[in-house]
Structure formats: C-alpha cells, structure tokens
Amino acid sequence: MSSFEADPEVGPPWPTELLEGAPVALGGPRGFAVTRTLPNRQRRMVGAWCFLDAYGPHDLAGNQGMRVGPHPHTGLQTVTWLVAGEVLHRDSLGNTAEIRPGQLNLMTAGRGISHAEETPASHSAVLQGVQLWVALPHADRDMPPAFTHHDDLPVVADGGLSATVLMGAFAGAVSPARTHTPLVGAELTLAAGTSAQLPLQPAWEYALLVLDGAAEMDGTNLKPGPLLYVGSGRTSVRVSCGPATRLLLLGGEPFEERLVMWWNFVARDHDEIVQMRADWASGTPRFGEVRGYDGPPLPAPPMPITRLVPRGRVR
Ligand code: MN
C-alpha cells in the first residue's frame, strides 16, 4: 500500500465550508495586494493557524514588489512560504535571510520581536507566496523571540503527489521547524491527472488552499482564492486535479484559548494590546530594532474606540 492510499473514507457526507478571501492592500490603497482567508468571518482559526494571506503571482516589472517596513509581533509565529520569487527578511535579533521557494522562514515572536520584509534588489520577475501566523499557546506566548531559516524540509512523494512538510508531521515526514501545539502545514504538488488520498488525524481540523491550478475535493471545485475548511473527524480526504496543481494543507488540534488579534499582535485581552502598542510607540527594548531596512518603522493604527473582545476559534 502506498503512503497516500489509506483505506477509502467511509462515513457520512462531510460538511465543508468555503471561506471566501478578503482583498487587502498592505501599506495602503496602492499597496501590495493580498487575499486574506484567516481570520475569516465564520471561522477565525484552523488548529493554531490564525492568519493566512496569499499573494501573487505578481509581475514585479516596473514596481518595487514587497516593501513592509519594520513592525512588531507578539504571541505568534510567522511562517513565510514562497511559490515564486524571493523575500528578504531582517529582524531585531540581527538575522538577515533571503527566502526562496521550497524554504521556510519561521519567526517566533514570543514576548516581542520586530522585522521588515522586502523584495531584494536582485530578484525574479514574479513573486507569489503565503504569509501565515500560528498562535502560541499560553505556556509559550511570552517566550524569548527566535528566528530560523529552514532549507532542509522533508519531502514525501508517491505517485503523482509530492508533499513538502513545512511544520509538524504529514504522511510520516516530520519538519524540523519548532512547533508549540500539534499542527501541520504542508505544500502538496499534484501532477496532472492525479487523484490522491491524504491521511488525516480525526481529532484535528483541516483546510486546503489552492496555490496554483485547480483541485476537486469531495465534490467541491477549488481554485486559488478561497480556503476550503474540511473540518475534523476524518481519517483521510481524496483530492484530485486536472492540470498540475499546488495546494497548501493546514491542520491542527483545535485551539481552544480565546485570543485578541489586533494589528500585528496576538494577545489575550484589550489591556495587553494597549501595552504592546505603547511599547512599540515608545521604542522600548521589548521589540528591539531592525537594522538595514531603507525606510521608517510602521506606526500602529489608533486603538478602536470600543474595548477589544477576546474571541474563540469559531465566531
Ligand atoms: Mn510581519
């Protein structure tokens, strides 16, 4: 038996949710265009995955590509993954790392870090990728910040399907990236005409995003844009494609802590956000300093008039 041909799924028709993405321009109306599917109106998280922006393919001819100036993070890990092109990362720990497709940049904010991301001076014609956040659980959310560039991710291939494991474990392959809750993130590439059974853990919830091409899953046709929430309780899911297709699989143990997510911060209540915002505005050592980026730090937006309310994974 091949690793992707587990017993055929037997069970009820599984409910799925198609989570539409919201168009967002990073850095203002003429900014860098992304499609945000997490947090979503109905569903804020998939496991500990709490943020998903997909972008591109963007033609970089005649524009400067990505330019996100120094900004802070707390209480989360940023997971950067590219389909095409390059992004240059600089952070307040002194790390500089250029990332390319097939590699992972994992930044653990913990109590506080700041970073900048930009298209490097020498770059490919096209930029495409995803920016994800993973919420840290209570026990680790104030840990010291860290950054790791991984270019040694495991790939498990079988038939027409190849899976690169970014985070966690999938089909017996384990990523070296450090996780803090049980979860998985994997890029799946399907050759034209492939139909594959993906092994799942029934206690986890999952979602699929098409990065390139088009897929069919349980009668739902999926193209780049929306995130298909697959739910939990299943041991596998069958995914098929016509032309060659690239997918992102996200999953994990449902994250039961209530969070306040505001700007680039993940916290537990309104007052924590107020403190984080004040610490960034006043330049306390909490967030350090990013060196080498040609531009000013990003100011936090004004606080909302009403108090921020902690929310669970489902709205
Ligand atoms: Mn960031």
Side-chain angles (χ1 to χ4, degrees):
M1 184 187 294
S2 70
S3 51
F4 294 120
E5 294 295 333
D7 294 335
E9 185 64 43
V10 178
W14 301 95
T16 59
E17 300 168 19
L18 198 59
L19 306 177
E20 295 294 336
V24 176
L26 299 182
R30 280 180 231 174
F32 190 77
V34 305
T35 300
R36 185 163 299 162
T37 44
L38 287 178
N40 203 282
R41 186 177 294 272
Q42 307 100 292
R43 194 165 285 286
R44 307 184 63 80
M45 303 179 75
V46 176
W49 299 98
C50 62
F51 182 93
L52 170 52
D53 275 355
Y55 53 86
H58 286 312
D59 181 353
L60 298 186
N63 69 71
Q64 57 189 1
M66 180 183 288
R67 273 189 65 77
V68 183
H71 60 278
H73 286 289
T74 57
L76 57 82
Q77 293 177 295
T78 64
V79 174
T80 303
W81 182 255
L82 296 181
V83 173
E86 306 83 14
V87 169
L88 178 61
H89 159 100
R90 291 186 173 94
D91 66 42
S92 54
L93 301 178
N95 298 294
T96 300
E98 187 171 314
I99 183 175
R100 297 163 187 277
Q103 306 174 345
L104 169 71
N105 271 1
L106 177 64
M107 185 177 82
T108 303
R111 175 170 168 71
I113 196 170
S114 57
H115 73 149
E117 292 158 296
E118 63 184 309
T119 296
S122 173
H123 59 78
S124 304
V126 171
L127 178 61
Q128 182 182 3
V130 288
Q131 180 64 60
L132 298 134
W133 297 355
V134 177
L136 291 172
H138 177 78
D140 297 325
R141 68 194 190 96
D142 287 326
M143 66 182 283
F147 174 85
T148 311
H149 174 82
H150 293 279
D151 57 9
D152 55 350
L153 300 175
V155 177
V156 50
D158 185 26
L161 189 147
S162 169
T164 305
V165 186
L166 286 60
M167 298 278 283
F170 180 75
V174 181
S175 166
R178 186 172 174 196
T179 58
H180 297 265
T181 53
L183 58 79
V184 65
E187 186 193 72
L188 313 176
T189 56
L190 281 70
T194 297
S195 179
Q197 195 89 11
L198 310 179
L200 306 181
Q201 304 210 36
W204 291 13
E205 55 181 350
Y206 291 89
L208 285 162
L209 182 80
V210 171
L211 299 171
D212 275 332
E216 192 265 310
M217 197 228 79
D218 278 1
T220 300
N221 292 307
L222 194 60
K223 293 190 290 188
L227 179 67
L228 184 67
Y229 179 75
V230 179
S232 57
R234 333 174 39 142
T235 57
S236 68
V237 62
R238 179 163 291 279
V239 177
S240 316
C241 71
T245 291
R246 187 191 310 261
L247 296 158
L248 183 68
L249 173 71
L250 301 178
E253 190 177 276
F255 193 91
E256 301 294 358
E257 295 180 52
R258 297 174 77 79
L259 303 176
V260 175
M261 285 178 59
W262 184 82
W263 194 41
N264 294 304
F265 303 133
V266 173
R268 294 300 185 276
D269 62 38
H270 178 92
D271 295 334
E272 287 184 1
I273 294 283
V274 169
Q275 187 64 55
M276 291 165 183
R277 186 183 182 284
D279 287 346
W280 176 243
S282 63
T284 62
R286 177 174 191 170
F287 296 111
E289 186 183 346
V290 179
R291 295 179 191 277
Y293 181 83
D294 181 20
L298 303 181
M303 288 295 295
I305 296 161
T306 55
R307 282 181 70 82
L308 298 163
V309 178
R311 295 186 189 279
R313 61 192 182 88
V314 180
R315 197 171 181 92

